[in-house]
């Protein structure tokens, strides 16, 4: 039982320190998410906490769960009127904008790191989408006031650009690992699932949840729990089929949030607390994964590998050397 008590003690201390530290952000003008990230880094292996956390599977589970809650909360607070003024620019940014970001960054990674173009573009695609959690937090809690059209465009784009980034990452991984399966029809079907099926599931799930909120007579505290559990079901089921759960849960939140009922204000208050908890947990966990000493060591190893001369080395040898570099820098 000691390990469980230690886990609760550690988790409570980190969360408490993260929340209390947010008071400094207002004085220093620092984004709150950087505070959560800094707390995680200070508690990590290279910080004063000396916590050796390198469980990337658990971190991925926590991150996906937290981001689903953040997107659901963002959808609940997005008004349909925002779509009339921002749908076109946000749709362009969420599709062609991702391409416009990935292409130059992929070319830079390809030529600067000396990688095969598939690996270079893959690295760019991984970081090509806007982080919805960071955008929602900065727009709503940083005190910055933007034009309504600009703010609506940023919010909708950050919530809707994941399908295109996921499509690019999946397509490139398929081209690298299974070239024989990288046909045009397979990619078109993948894109249809990522966008079309995700929109369908988000709309259907949102309509069902909105009807349940109107019809069921629950205690006030249970409406938010029902919406969260239903949103997570939509998120998980869409991912299971091959779509984008992030887009689906965001759209479901928009539909539910625009069906105003007697429980709307209470749901917003509860969801605000859950979204803060998700943001703090997400960035503290990411901070725990950061080990500056190992990053510097990997950088030195990578630079050392890149200094190996290529003169007189045939193409097969160069390709093998690039693979070795990629493995050492992973």
């Amino acid at each position: 039982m000691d390990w469980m008590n230690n886990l609760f003690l550690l988790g409570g201390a980190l969360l408490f320190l993260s929340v209390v530290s947010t008071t400094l952000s207002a004085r220093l003008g620092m984004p709150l998410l950087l505070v959560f990230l800094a707390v995680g880094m200070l508690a990590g292996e290279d910080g004063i906490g000396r916590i050796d956390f390198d469980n990337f599977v658990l971190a991925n589970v926590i991150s996906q769960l937290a981001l689903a809650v953040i997107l659901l909360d963002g959808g609940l607070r997005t008004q349909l009127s925002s779509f009339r003024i921002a749908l076109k620019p946000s749709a362009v940014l969420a599709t062609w904008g991702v391409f416009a970001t990935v292409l130059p960054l992929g070319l830079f990674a390809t030529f600067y790191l000396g990688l095969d173009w598939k690996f270079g573009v893959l690295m760019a695609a991984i970081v090509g989408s806007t982080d919805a959690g960071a955008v929602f937090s900065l727009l709503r809690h940083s005190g910055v006031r933007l034009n309504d059209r600009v703010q609506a465009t940023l919010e909708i784009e950050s919530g809707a650009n994941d399908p295109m980034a996921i499509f690019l990452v999946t397509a490139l991984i398929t081209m690298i690992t299974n070239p024989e399966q990288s046909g045009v029809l397979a990619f078109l079907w993948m894109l249809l699932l990522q966008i079309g099926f995700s929109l369908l599931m988000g709309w259907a799930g949102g309509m069902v949840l909105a009807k349940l909120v109107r019809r069921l007579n629950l205690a006030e505290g249970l409406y938010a729990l029902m919406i969260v559990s239903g949103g997570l079901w939509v998120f998980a089921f869409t991912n299971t089929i091959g779509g984008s759960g992030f887009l689906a849960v965001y759209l479901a939140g928009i539909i539910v949030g625009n069906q105003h009922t007697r429980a709307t204000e209470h749901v917003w208050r509860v969801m605000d607390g859950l979204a803060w908890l998700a943001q703090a947990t997400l960035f503290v966990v990411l901070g725990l994964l950061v080990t500056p000493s190992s990053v510097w060591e990997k950088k030195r190893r990578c630079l050392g590998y890149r200094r190996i001369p290529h003169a007189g080395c045939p193409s097969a040898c160069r390709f093998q050397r690039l693979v070795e570099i990629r493995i050492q820098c992973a």
Side-chain angles (χ1 to χ4, degrees), residues 9-272:
L9 179 64
L10 178 62
L14 287 178
L15 183 59
F16 179 81
L17 183 60
S18 301
V19 173
V20 173
S21 299
T22 59
T23 57
L24 297 175
S25 65
R27 300 178 182 178
L28 301 178
M30 181 170 37
L32 294 176
L33 299 185
L34 288 182
V35 174
F36 299 144
L37 191 65
V39 169
M41 292 178 65
L42 288 174
E45 184 178 352
D46 287 348
I48 57 177
R50 298 295 179 181
I51 299 175
D52 186 8
F53 178 76
D54 59 356
N55 192 331
F56 292 95
V57 174
L58 178 60
N60 181 46
V61 172
I62 294 174
S63 300
Q64 295 226 22
L65 176 61
L67 190 53
V69 174
I70 294 170
L71 283 169
L72 179 62
D73 176 70
L76 289 171
R77 301 173 192 278
T78 301
Q79 300 300 314
L80 286 178
S81 57
S82 301
F83 281 84
R84 289 195 289 268
I85 62 175
L87 181 58
K88 184 176 179 179
S90 60
V92 173
L93 288 174
T95 52
W96 295 110
V98 176
F99 276 109
T101 302
V102 169
L103 184 59
L105 184 57
L107 292 175
F108 173 81
T110 298
F111 289 103
Y112 179 74
L113 298 178
L115 300 174
D116 183 86
W117 71 270
K118 298 185 187 71
F119 293 117
V121 178
L122 175 60
M123 293 174 62
I126 291 172
V127 298
S129 63
T130 309
D131 182 75
V135 171
F136 288 149
S137 176
L138 288 174
L139 290 179
R140 291 173 181 170
H141 305 293
S142 65
V144 177
R145 293 292 176 264
L146 299 176
N147 177 277
D148 290 341
R149 179 181 173 86
V150 174
Q151 179 160 336
T153 299
L154 291 174
E155 288 184 352
I156 296 173
E157 187 275 337
S158 64
N161 65 8
D162 287 293
M164 186 57 64
I166 293 172
F167 164 74
L168 290 175
V169 171
T170 307
L172 287 164
I173 291 176
T174 303
M175 292 174 64
I176 294 170
T177 59
N178 298 301
E180 65 281 357
Q181 299 181 6
S182 56
V184 176
L185 292 179
F187 288 156
L188 290 177
W189 175 246
M190 187 191 309
L191 185 60
L192 179 63
L193 285 176
Q194 286 291 318
I195 297 180
F197 180 74
S198 304
L199 291 174
L200 177 62
M201 282 301 304
W203 175 82
M207 293 299 293
V208 171
L209 285 174
K211 183 173 291 187
L212 290 175
V213 171
R214 290 196 305 268
R215 297 286 182 86
L216 296 181
N217 187 17
L218 302 174
E220 285 188 346
L222 295 180
Y223 285 105
L225 294 180
M226 182 183 68
I227 292 173
V228 170
S229 59
L232 291 178
W233 186 90
V234 171
F235 170 79
F237 183 76
T238 306
N239 282 337
T240 302
I241 300 301
S244 172
F246 296 119
L247 177 59
V249 74
Y250 179 62
L251 180 57
I254 292 174
I255 294 174
V256 175
N258 283 273
Q259 301 289 327
H260 295 285
T261 65
R262 62 184 181 278
T264 298
E265 292 296 330
H266 183 77
V267 168
W268 282 352
R269 287 196 296 270
V270 175
M271 286 301 302
D272 188 52

Side-chain angles (χ1 to χ4, degrees), residues 275-307:
W276 273 113
L277 176 62
Q279 291 173 11
T281 304
L282 170 62
F283 283 90
V284 168
V285 169
L286 292 179
L288 287 173
L289 290 174
V290 176
T291 52
S293 60
S294 64
V295 172
W296 174 248
E297 181 62 27
K298 285 185 179 182
K299 180 180 178 183
R300 291 200 309 175
R301 271 192 291 155
C302 293
L303 291 176
Y305 266 75
R306 290 187 68 239
R307 280 196 294 267

